[in-house]
Amino acid sequence: MRKKRIAVIGLGDFGIELIKRLYEDGHEVTAIDQDKNKIDRIREFSTYCVAIDSTDESELKEHGLDEMDAVVLAIGDNFENLIVTADALKKIGAINIFARYQSDLNKRVLQMLGIESLFNPEEQAAQSMAEQLANSSVKGVTLLGQDYRILEAVVPKHMQGKTVQGAKLREDWNLNLITVKRPKKTRRKSDRKDEEVLGIPSPNLVLSEGDILVLFGKTEDLEQMIGKR
C-alpha cells in the first residue's frame, strides 16, 4: 500500500479517530484545528499538527494543503467554517476533498461548491446498526453512495462447504467478494475480535461455517443474497 499524505481538518471525536487510524496504517497525516488544546491531544498520533484558521487560504497553502493526496473536512459543529474552508481549499487547488455533512442543506451547499465526495458518519452508523438489528447475519455495513455498499455477512448455509468459485457470487448474485474473515481457533469462542483476514480469496478457497464474507455490490443484490439463508 502506497503511503499517502492526508490532511484532516476538524478534531472532534470523528476527526481524532480517523487521524489515529490513518497514522496507524502508516500514512503521513496532518491534523488541523483552531483549538490548540485539541492539537495537543492528537500530537503523538499524527505526522504533523497545527492550530490555524482553516478558512484562511494563505494559511492552508503555507501548510501544504494544496499538495496533499486527500483532504478530509471533518468539521461538525460550525457549518459556516465548513463551507468557507471548503471554498478556500477549492481556490488553492486542493484535490480529493472529502467533506462531512450533517443535513440535506449542508449536502446541497457543498455540492454547489463542487465537493463531490461527501459523507455522514452518523447516517452510516445508523444504517449499519439498523441492518444488523434487522438481520442477524449482517455484521457490518459501509455505504457507498445511495446504490452501493460494502457488506459483512455470515456465509449462508447454502454456500458452506463450497469453494469461492462454486458459490457463484458474481454469476448468480452480481456481487464481488473482497475478502473473507475467518474465526481463529481459540478457547474464547465468543470473542469476535479473534478473526483472521484471508486476503484476496482464491477461487479454490472452501467457505466454512462462521466465515464472514466481505462483499461489494448494489444494495438490492446484497439484500437478495442475505435473504436466502
Side-chain angles (χ1 to χ4, degrees):
M1 180 180 65
R2 184 177 74 86
K3 183 186 293 185
K4 293 185 177 181
R5 298 180 63 195
I6 302 170
V8 178
I9 302 175
L11 302 185
D13 292 339
F14 172 79
I16 288 174
E17 187 63 28
L18 177 62
I19 288 167
K20 288 180 178 179
R21 296 200 177 197
L22 290 170
Y23 187 68
E24 288 172 359
D25 287 342
H27 298 291
E28 293 183 14
V29 188
T30 295
I32 293 174
D33 198 280
Q34 293 181 352
D35 190 332
K36 292 183 179 179
N37 292 326
K38 291 182 178 180
I39 290 296
D40 289 337
R41 286 175 56 197
I42 202 66
R43 195 173 300 279
E44 63 180 296
F45 302 106
S46 60
T47 310
Y48 177 69
C49 55
V50 61
I52 62 171
D53 179 359
S54 64
T55 66
D56 188 324
E57 292 176 41
S58 61
E59 290 267 30
L60 295 175
K61 197 168 183 65
E62 179 182 341
H63 292 283
L65 273 291
D66 56 326
E67 299 175 354
M68 296 289 169
D69 293 306
V71 180
V72 180
L73 275 172
I75 300 170
D77 56 356
N78 190 321
F79 182 58
E80 182 179 352
N81 274 6
L82 173 64
I83 293 303
V84 178
T85 299
D87 186 51
L89 286 168
K90 293 289 288 186
K91 286 179 178 176
I92 67 171
I95 59 173
N96 293 332
I97 302 171
F98 296 78
R100 177 181 184 176
Y101 70 89
Q102 292 188 306
S103 70
D104 288 340
L105 175 60
N106 295 171
K107 187 176 182 179
R108 289 198 298 272
V109 174
L110 287 164
Q111 288 173 330
M112 284 189 286
L113 288 174
I115 309 295
E116 298 179 356
S117 300
L118 304 172
F119 66 94
N120 182 307
E122 294 81 8
E123 185 179 279
Q124 291 214 0
Q127 180 67 36
S128 179
M129 179 60 70
E131 296 200 21
Q132 290 180 60
L133 290 171
N135 193 319
S136 61
S137 68
V138 175
K139 301 303 177 185
V141 181
T142 301
L143 305 180
L144 299 174
Q146 293 185 345
D147 299 326
Y148 291 89
R149 64 190 60 196
I150 295 173
L151 182 82
E152 296 184 29
V154 177
V155 61
K157 287 183 179 180
H158 64 88
M159 292 184 187
Q160 293 172 16
K162 294 183 178 181
T163 63
V164 168
Q165 186 174 29
K168 296 185 177 180
L169 286 160
R170 182 67 178 169
E171 296 89 338
D172 292 351
W173 305 99
N174 198 32
L175 301 174
N176 289 315
L177 180 62
I178 300 172
T179 191
V180 176
K181 295 181 179 181
R182 177 163 291 171
K184 292 181 180 179
K185 292 182 178 180
T186 173
R187 294 178 182 176
R188 297 176 299 169
K189 293 184 179 180
S190 63
D191 190 348
R192 294 249 353 114
K193 292 184 179 179
D194 290 329
E195 294 175 339
E196 178 184 6
V197 178
L198 302 185
I200 299 175
S202 161
N204 298 320
L205 175 68
V206 177
L207 300 175
S208 303
E209 182 181 0
D211 283 352
I212 305 295
L213 306 181
V214 183
L215 300 159
F216 167 76
K218 283 189 174 181
T219 299
E220 57 193 40
D221 293 328
L222 289 162
E223 288 177 349
Q224 287 182 14
M225 194 280 289
I226 63 174
K228 187 179 187 312
R229 305 309 300 168

